Amino acid sequence: MGLQFNLSELKELLRSFYTLTKIRTVIFDDSFHELAAYPARHSSYCHIIRSDSRAEARCIRCDQAAFIRCKEEQRLYTYQCHAGLTETVVPIKAENRVIGYIIFGQLLQTASRGQLWQEICRELSSYNLNMEELYQAFMQKEMISDDIIEAYAKTMEMSASYLYLSRKLVLKQDALAQKIDAHISAHIRGDLSVPVLCRRFGISKSHLYKLSEQSFGMGIAEYIRNTRIHLAKQLLGETDAPVYEIAEQVGIADYNYFTKAFKRKTGLLPTAYRKENSFGSGKTP
């Protein structure tokens, strides 16, 4: 991760945006790690969809594909997700480099609600969802016009610039945090427990915890776990190595723990993730 941020100030900004618009907004870093969200909970419609782990994994892939396109084009990108809702991704830039993303949406934008619902039913037919509950949540969603979505998008573009210029989001400059980050990447297969890291860098546990929250946006154990799962996803998609071997390569010797941790993070077992995301599968990772 390359960002430092003030969590309380970020949430206050997102809370203010929600007060004005009633639209959920989330900030991600360049590695697609969530930094802040308001409201924390997804809309009822999205919450029902994400109750199926396979559907949730597809939601995550859909978001990540949008982030990639946003970064490639260096501008905001509005799209319709696989569940029929309109989302917008706005790049956060620093010196012409994309360092993060603001995504807002879960909005309903259609000329025909009935036709869109039929398309959604076909798209989600393979998942284990309560379609009656989903329909009720769908019908309760307010229609949003193109003009309003465009106005929101422009507002978030200005907000993205403000986040960097006001230094609420800054590129990580803490030398010690960078050294710890580099050490984690270089020794991902090894012992990265808190006592080991504290001895390695000559700092206290409280210092390490505080530094991790400030520089990585989460606890050090969670950051290491996320780093390991991120690397595992790359290896599953780009190599033919057995899953147990990949687990060892990313520093999780216990195969059962690895599969549980991987599914908890991605919504899929490692074998299923490889099937859907391996090179040549024809699917967007």
Side-chain angles (χ1 to χ4, degrees), residues 17 53 92 106 113 215 225 238 257:
F17 183 71
S53 60
I92 302 172
Q106 301 181 3
R113 190 187 290 261
S215 298
R225 184 165 55 251
E238 298 170 5
Y257 175 77

Side-chain angles (χ1 to χ4, degrees), residues 244-264:
Y244 74 86
E245 186 175 302
I246 288 176
E248 293 177 352
Q249 288 183 39
V250 302
I252 304 178
D254 187 326
Y255 176 80
N256 290 328
Y257 175 77
F258 170 74
T259 57
K260 290 178 181 178
F262 190 92
K263 184 176 181 180
R264 186 162 55 246

